Amino acid sequence: MEEIEAFGALGERLGLQLHYADVRAMAALAERLAPLGVTPARATAVVYIALHEGCDQITLGRALGVNRASTMKAVDELEALGVLERRPGRDRRTNALHLTPAGAALRHQVEAVTREHDIAAFAPLDPAERAQLGRLLAKLRLNDDAADQGDAAIAASKEG
């Protein structure tokens, strides 16, 4: 029995299905990234810093959607790996984050591994389905009014 079926009606919920798909995809990505010495979250941080050279930890944390302590831990770990360095920031309270040459090389490896991972993880979908999934996920991710619309949809379903 597939694990999602064990939840009965809950297993039919899109949120739970999305969660299980994400857990499976992220576990596979973690396996692919392990030889590089980074987790998916650390890999994401490396790419973000490469694209936003000199950003501070607060900006990085917001971009990653993690708290200050988690951001500091990530930066400490990346610095220990020798892929990141802290330099003086815009004021005495901040550090500017920069990749080292090893970090720049890691960024390119991460991008290659994640490209390969996407091909493998989404192989069951044809190109049109992958494009549609991307559009649908973007629509959900970018919709700030989702909760209000969801509440309205619930109210409407109860009326009819």
Side-chain angles (χ1 to χ4, degrees):
M1 172 194 285
E2 187 181 4
E3 67 270 3
I4 199 87
E5 294 172 356
F7 294 97
L10 287 181
E12 298 172 10
R13 304 294 188 261
L14 292 176
L16 191 61
Q17 290 182 36
L18 184 60
H19 170 71
Y20 269 82
D22 178 56
V23 167
R24 181 170 285 154
M26 293 308 288
L29 179 58
E31 283 183 36
R32 288 177 182 268
L33 289 170
L36 301 180
V38 292
T39 63
R42 302 300 180 259
T44 303
V46 167
V47 172
Y48 184 85
I49 294 165
L51 295 171
H52 304 277
E53 198 77 24
C55 69
D56 61 26
Q57 289 179 198
I58 293 170
T59 302
L60 176 63
R62 282 189 195 126
L64 297 176
V66 297
N67 64 33
R68 178 176 275 163
S70 296
T71 304
M72 181 172 282
K73 182 178 178 189
V75 169
D76 288 346
E77 289 175 5
L78 291 172
E79 189 174 40
L81 281 174
V83 300
L84 171 97
E85 64 184 17
R86 293 174 169 108
R87 297 182 191 163
R90 65 183 181 278
D91 58 44
R92 292 188 313 180
R93 295 174 295 150
T94 62
N95 292 306
L97 305 176
H98 294 268
L99 295 184
T100 64
L106 177 61
R107 174 221 178 159
H108 294 294
Q109 291 175 304
V110 163
E111 288 175 345
V113 167
T114 56
R115 187 179 316 108
E116 292 168 2
H117 170 71
D118 260 25
I119 291 167
F122 298 101
L125 304 177
D126 65 41
E129 289 171 326
R130 285 193 298 275
Q132 181 181 20
L133 179 60
R135 286 189 302 273
L136 293 172
L137 291 172
K139 187 175 184 177
L140 291 173
R141 190 181 70 250
L142 298 173
N143 186 358
D144 291 335
D145 300 325
D148 293 339
Q149 291 176 357
D151 290 343
I154 291 169
S157 71
K158 290 180 179 178
E159 293 173 3

